[in-house]
Amino acid sequence: MDQLADLHISINREEGGIAAQIACELRESIRQGRLEAGVRLPATRDLAADLQVSRGVVVEAYEQLVAEGFLLSRVGVGTVVAPAGSREEPPAPPQPPPVCTPFYGHRATSPDLSSFPRERWLASLRHVLAHVPSDALDYGDPGGVPELREELAGYLRRVRAADVHPENLMIVGGVAQGLSLTLHVLGGIRLAVEDPTSNRQIPLLRRAGAEIVPVRADEQGIDVGALRASGADAVLVTPAHQYPTGVVLSPGRRAELMAWGGLILEDDYDAEFRFDRDPVGCLQGLAPDRVVLSGSISKSMAPGLRIGWVAAPADLAHGVRQARGELDLGSPVIDQYALAHFLRTGAYDRHLRKARREYRRRRDALVKVLAEHLPEVRVHGIEAGLHVYLELPPDWDEHGLALAAQSLGLAAEPVGPMRFTPGPPAIVVGFARLPVHKTAEAIAALRSLTSSRR
Amino acid sequence: MDQLADLHISINREEGGIAAQIACELRESIRQGRLEAGVRLPATRDLAADLQVSRGVVVEAYEQLVAEGFLLSRVGVGTVVAPAGSREEPPAPPQPPPVCTPFYGHRATSPDLSSFPRERWLASLRHVLAHVPSDALDYGDPGGVPELREELAGYLRRVRAADVHPENLMIVGGVAQGLSLTLHVLGGIRLAVEDPTSNRQIPLLRRAGAEIVPVRADEQGIDVGALRASGADAVLVTPAHQYPTGVVLSPGRRAELMAWGGLILEDDYDAEFRFDRDPVGCLQGLAPDRVVLSGSISKSMAPGLRIGWVAAPADLAHGVRQARGELDLGSPVIDQYALAHFLRTGAYDRHLRKARREYRRRRDALVKVLAEHLPEVRVHGIEAGLHVYLELPPDWDEHGLALAAQSLGLAAEPVGPMRFTPGPPAIVVGFARLPVHKTAEAIAALRSLTSSRR
């Protein structure tokens, strides 16, 4: 463990985010060659003792770097520095030094939070605090505030053609909680997921008790023949905009999926941002007795609000509501009332219209610039959502390109870790935070990093 | 099922709270003798179909009335109207008709929400929305907003003598979520609970995977000898103010408990409201490596905010944070920042001081009036918290008295359902919402209902 003396890990305890600081220091040591490929890192317990932090903090830092490809975790060996190939960067990027981002934070799918409607949201909060009766601040219905369920049911019927009413609609802390509660109530089911799929979600699904069965998704969406053959009890799909490929489920596949007999968990991810034509209604509206619809305002408003919903068949809705009434007693109420007011007054619609217009401009700019500067790359999934899927030439290194993009401040992730079966190298790039006037510069810089790599 | 035609259940679908409406209608039918003891109610599925509501709604209404003692649920028979004895009420109470309370809502432990500091809370929200960077609204640390963890750790060290720092402190959606996550991470442990204990918590503990082992609690708190003999892996205790008995754990028992080797889950329930002397520090401060401290602002501020915390040993803290990062991605951030600001500016301390003073006045008034009007009743647990524990003469009917108290608008619950082993009849009565000038009148009315019953 004598490498430790050379690590020069310095922590600023005032600043918080200790794990991110450790990850940052290690990352820089690897980048600058102070820690070479194959070097074994200290056990988390030892490093924690040396730095006088809890072991969990070191585990988190290591996990972050494993996720980023700087480290490899090997059973029986420990944590070692990854071979340079998988994350090699140019010696002198023409940019300021890479920002050490925290473990949690920006995702390729995060919205542009600088346009969060702070004033209007505050106005809603003010309205709520001036008007709700005191009893509204007490232990509430774990299924959610009735006013919000009413407003939201109306909205989802109108905009998403969903078959929801306040009784089968529950407010939850986002799609993740909606899924984990649903799976908890269903018990250990065999759950098919699209391949590729969000690798952030797999640990959730497993922890909630599901057995995962990957099913191929292609340029039309999930392969329903393969789903039928899989023997799965239920399937988790993102018909409005598949993550990561960005595919919108084709009409044929849609019909096939509805003819399949199992339970469908529909993540209505990115449905708000369909750019070129009207969004297709959700699947739930077609078969409310066997589709569970989950959605959230994480993309339309902000992930930090942690507000989402689940619409489920009556028995399942009852089970989810009861589980929530026992496990955490429901979501905070003031934000729920505020969102009800936001919907009722039309502020939500106005905000969405404005956001959709701006995101469309950003998407158009990105697509145009990609065609100019990275013509080798095939751009997919641009019909909807806040990210594009870039399929790379076979000899390109998706991990390296994603890191290069990240070093330029772009929200990018390699697709490899999202695949159960190998596929072409690809990355996803979020454009929600990339202003039109910076697009050309960013992609040109990415081009030059890419060229220097090969 | 021909009783159904006589039920006259009318629902106002505009109003929401359908289950509460159904429960209310059934309750009135039973009270007024339209539904007699022993009559079997329609199956939930049938009534749901008749009323055109989801079955879950009817189940909820039935469950509410079973909990209240109006109905009995019998395996193989169904749901029947309970014998009149267990819930008989006087024919003409000298009061307005009983309010039909919703399933969720007031508890005996709920604070006085009419004194929720709306203006100051809004000022904190305004401050947050004016000052937090946009990135703060993104996916956040599932362990909670760093600023809040810092402020709260300082507060808990200062006021509760807890040994917490931002790294081992996680923000959760209240004590319930803190417990369910902790138990989820611990896996299926044998968990000792105090007998009697909150019957609301038992389903939570079981759902989170614990096997429940009741251990006697007496006038000194939990019996540590019995705990030692129980073979439990861990124990859930409320040392600051036992629920429901209101006992503060005695110094001797405290020492015994600390000498016990298992994991202690400390629900720091009602610790803010210790009236006659300074509160004793929490157990966690004595042994942070084997005590998990949970607390919340549900009593000090409002349950509807759904903000609580868990301080745990490093490995467990890491597990809980990771579980939350997968299952629901953490608590909403704006309220967290607002609470950090509320703590930092001293608004929290000022609010608590004012509330403590007023609750003390209300407690004193209640204790005095109880001694005058109900001298047969022994009043316990008045040192702390927002409720008193009333031990009744052996021939009194705790269920009837609790219902009578509820009909007068008092927050009261019978203790019987909270016991694993039989004990004397007793009820808990919350006084947080009972203004001093109304105390005498309320208890005199309760006296007269009590007299008419015997």
Side-chain angles (χ1 to χ4, degrees):
Chain A
M1 297 302 110
D2 54 357
Q3 299 89 343
L4 189 57
D6 303 319
L7 283 181
H8 303 298
I9 294 183
S10 67
I11 304 174
N12 180 349
R13 281 166 209 277
E14 301 300 302
E15 279 203 351
I18 306 290
Q21 291 184 39
I22 296 171
C24 184
E25 296 272 330
L26 287 172
R27 195 187 291 114
E28 287 308 298
S29 293
I30 297 169
R31 280 179 170 149
Q32 293 167 22
R34 289 201 302 272
L35 277 175
E36 293 179 0
V39 163
R40 186 149 71 92
L41 275 122
T44 50
R45 210 172 285 277
D46 297 333
L47 183 55
D50 267 284
L51 297 174
Q52 295 189 293
V53 300
S54 72
R55 194 171 77 89
V57 165
V58 177
V59 169
E60 193 186 326
Y62 280 19
E63 283 173 354
Q64 170 70 10
L65 295 175
V66 168
E68 292 178 0
F70 286 95
L71 299 179
L72 295 173
S73 179
R74 287 194 177 136
V75 177
V77 174
T79 308
V80 300
V81 177
S86 63
R87 38 100 205 149
E88 190 179 73
E89 284 171 302
Q95 297 296 323
V99 180
C100 287
T101 51
F103 192 173
Y104 301 92
H106 292 352
R107 299 184 178 184
T109 59
S110 290
D112 177 18
L113 293 163
S114 68
S115 61
F116 180 79
R118 295 185 183 218
E119 284 295 325
R120 288 181 184 282
W121 188 250
L122 180 63
S124 280
L125 291 169
R126 189 183 301 117
H127 177 88
V128 169
L129 284 166
H131 291 95
V132 291
S134 295
D135 286 352
L137 303 174
D138 208 338
Y139 293 100
D141 184 331
V145 160
E147 285 81 348
L148 176 57
R149 286 153 79 178
E150 190 104 3
E151 286 296 331
L152 199 54
Y155 175 82
L156 293 171
R157 283 196 303 267
R158 181 163 53 84
V159 173
R160 301 296 302 129
D163 185 357
V164 295
H165 40 97
E167 287 76 29
N168 72 344
L169 184 65
M170 285 147 302
I171 307 303
V172 291
V175 168
Q177 187 175 39
L179 284 175
S180 54
L181 286 170
T182 302
L183 292 171
H184 164 78
V185 170
L186 289 171
I189 59 166
R190 272 174 69 82
L191 177 68
V193 300
E194 298 161 319
D195 178 12
T197 198
S198 164
N199 52 336
R200 292 181 200 268
Q201 244 172 13
I202 299 300
L204 176 169
L205 304 173
R206 292 213 165 104
R207 188 184 284 272
E211 182 197 339
I212 303 293
V213 188
V215 170
R216 198 174 73 99
D218 57 25
E219 67 288 344
Q220 293 192 64
I222 192 160
D223 179 337
V224 182
L227 170 63
R228 218 176 282 120
S230 74
D233 306 305
V235 63
L236 171 61
V237 286
T238 48
H241 192 222
Q242 207 271 335
Y243 190 82
T245 63
V247 164
V248 177
L249 190 66
S250 75
R253 288 287 173 80
R254 208 175 152 85
E256 279 183 67
L257 184 58
M258 295 317 294
W260 178 67
L263 184 71
I264 299 172
L265 308 185
E266 177 176 24
D267 179 352
D268 203 23
Y269 159 77
D270 269 357
E272 301 86 357
F273 301 115
R274 176 84 189 222
F275 299 114
D276 303 309
R277 45 179 158 130
D278 282 344
V280 181
C282 63
L283 302 176
Q284 190 270 350
L286 304 174
D289 56 329
R290 42 191 195 85
V291 181
V292 179
L293 176 71
S294 305
S296 79
I297 57 167
S298 293
K299 313 292 184 277
S300 59
M301 295 281 287
L305 290 174
R306 307 301 322 127
I307 297 184
W309 52 86
V310 175
D315 282 7
L316 189 53
H318 176 68
V320 167
R321 181 165 170 278
Q322 186 167 22
R324 206 165 181 213
E326 293 172 13
L327 293 174
D328 72 5
L329 315 188
S331 289
V333 299
I334 295 178
D335 283 348
Q336 289 188 67
Y337 282 107
L339 180 58
H341 184 257
F342 213 70
L343 284 160
R344 192 183 313 119
T345 57
Y348 187 76
D349 277 330
R350 281 192 297 277
H351 171 68
L352 260 188
R353 268 200 301 278
K354 199 175 137 201
R356 200 181 290 120
R357 204 159 48 228
E358 179 59 26
Y359 289 142
R360 187 188 168 135
R361 288 183 61 230
R362 294 183 184 191
R363 180 206 63 165
D364 291 347
L366 178 61
V367 170
K368 180 162 167 284
V369 167
L370 282 169
E372 286 166 19
H373 289 286
L374 289 167
E376 310 92 325
V377 163
R378 289 176 53 197
V379 183
H380 293 281
I382 63 171
E383 294 86 352
L386 304 181
H387 76 274
V388 291
Y389 172 88
L390 305 184
E391 192 180 318
L392 312 180
D395 59 330
W396 284 29
D397 165 23
E398 62 175 25
H399 221 96
L401 188 65
L403 281 175
Q406 285 170 12
S407 76
L408 296 167
L410 293 168
E413 288 187 44
V415 173
M418 307 179 199
R419 296 191 195 279
F420 292 88
T421 48
I427 66 172
V428 293
V429 177
F431 54 80
R433 298 168 198 245
L434 183 60
V436 169
H437 68 276
K438 293 216 173 151
T439 309
E441 181 192 349
I443 301 303
L446 185 62
R447 160 91 272 170
S448 81
L449 290 184
T450 310
S451 311
S452 71
R453 165 159 303 110
R454 284 169 305 139
Chain B
M1 297 303 111
D2 53 358
Q3 299 90 343
L4 189 56
D6 301 320
L7 282 182
H8 304 297
I9 294 181
S10 67
I11 303 174
N12 179 350
R13 282 168 208 275
E14 302 299 301
E15 279 204 348
I18 307 289
Q21 291 183 40
I22 296 171
C24 183
E25 296 272 329
L26 286 172
R27 194 187 290 115
E28 288 309 298
S29 293
I30 297 169
R31 279 178 172 149
Q32 293 167 24
R34 287 202 303 273
L35 276 176
E36 294 180 357
V39 163
R40 188 148 70 94
L41 277 123
T44 51
R45 209 171 287 276
D46 297 332
L47 184 54
D50 266 286
L51 298 174
Q52 296 188 293
V53 299
S54 73
R55 195 171 77 88
V57 165
V58 178
V59 169
E60 192 186 323
Y62 280 19
E63 283 174 352
Q64 170 69 10
L65 294 175
V66 167
E68 292 177 6
F70 285 95
L71 298 179
L72 295 172
S73 178
R74 285 192 180 138
V75 177
V77 174
T79 308
V80 300
V81 177
S86 64
R87 39 103 206 146
E88 190 179 74
E89 284 172 301
Q95 295 299 322
V99 180
C100 286
T101 52
F103 191 175
Y104 302 91
H106 291 353
R107 299 185 177 183
T109 58
S110 289
D112 178 17
L113 293 164
S114 69
S115 61
F116 179 80
R118 294 184 183 219
E119 284 295 323
R120 286 181 185 281
W121 187 252
L122 180 62
S124 280
L125 291 169
R126 189 184 302 118
H127 176 89
V128 170
L129 284 166
H131 291 94
V132 291
S134 295
D135 286 352
L137 303 173
D138 208 337
Y139 293 99
D141 184 329
V145 160
E147 284 81 348
L148 176 57
R149 286 153 80 179
E150 189 104 4
E151 285 297 331
L152 199 55
Y155 175 82
L156 293 170
R157 282 196 303 266
R158 181 163 55 83
V159 173
R160 301 296 302 127
D163 185 356
V164 295
H165 41 96
E167 286 76 29
N168 73 343
L169 184 66
M170 284 147 303
I171 307 304
V172 292
V175 168
Q177 186 175 38
L179 284 175
S180 54
L181 285 171
T182 302
L183 292 171
H184 164 78
V185 171
L186 289 170
I189 60 166
R190 272 174 70 81
L191 177 68
V193 300
E194 298 162 320
D195 178 11
T197 199
S198 165
N199 51 337
R200 292 182 200 267
Q201 242 171 15
I202 300 299
L204 176 169
L205 304 174
R206 291 213 166 105
R207 187 184 284 271
E211 181 196 341
I212 302 293
V213 187
V215 169
R216 197 174 73 99
D218 58 24
E219 66 287 344
Q220 292 192 66
I222 193 160
D223 180 337
V224 182
L227 171 62
R228 217 175 283 119
S230 74
D233 306 306
V235 64
L236 171 61
V237 287
T238 48
H241 191 222
Q242 208 272 334
Y243 190 84
T245 64
V247 164
V248 177
L249 188 67
S250 76
R253 289 287 172 80
R254 208 176 151 83
E256 279 183 68
L257 183 58
M258 294 317 294
W260 178 67
L263 184 72
I264 299 172
L265 308 186
E266 177 176 26
D267 179 353
D268 203 25
Y269 159 77
D270 268 357
E272 302 85 357
F273 300 115
R274 175 85 190 223
F275 298 115
D276 303 308
R277 44 177 158 130
D278 282 343
V280 181
C282 63
L283 301 177
Q284 189 270 350
L286 304 173
D289 55 331
R290 51 197 187 78
V291 181
V292 178
L293 176 72
S294 304
S296 79
I297 57 168
S298 293
K299 314 293 183 275
S300 59
M301 296 281 286
L305 290 174
R306 307 301 321 125
I307 297 184
W309 52 85
V310 176
D315 281 7
L316 190 53
H318 176 68
V320 167
R321 181 165 170 277
Q322 185 168 22
R324 206 163 181 216
E326 291 172 14
L327 292 174
D328 71 6
L329 315 189
S331 288
V333 299
I334 295 178
D335 282 349
Q336 289 189 66
Y337 282 107
L339 180 59
H341 185 256
F342 214 70
L343 283 160
R344 192 183 313 121
T345 56
Y348 187 75
D349 277 331
R350 281 192 297 277
H351 171 69
L352 259 188
R353 268 199 302 278
K354 199 177 138 199
R356 200 181 289 121
R357 203 158 50 228
E358 180 57 28
Y359 288 143
R360 187 186 169 138
R361 288 183 62 231
R362 294 183 184 191
R363 179 204 64 166
D364 291 347
L366 178 61
V367 169
K368 180 162 167 285
V369 168
L370 281 169
E372 286 166 19
H373 290 285
L374 288 168
E376 309 91 328
V377 163
R378 289 175 55 197
V379 183
H380 293 280
I382 63 171
E383 295 87 351
L386 303 180
H387 77 274
V388 292
Y389 173 87
L390 305 184
E391 192 178 319
L392 312 179
D395 60 329
W396 284 28
D397 165 22
E398 62 175 24
H399 221 97
L401 188 66
L403 282 175
Q406 286 170 12
S407 76
L408 297 165
L410 293 167
E413 288 186 44
V415 173
M418 307 179 199
R419 296 190 195 279
F420 292 87
T421 48
I427 65 171
V428 292
V429 177
F431 54 79
R433 298 168 198 245
L434 183 59
V436 168
H437 68 275
K438 294 217 171 149
T439 309
E441 180 192 350
I443 301 303
L446 184 62
R447 159 92 272 170
S448 81
L449 290 184
T450 310
S451 311
S452 70
R453 163 158 305 111
R454 283 168 306 140

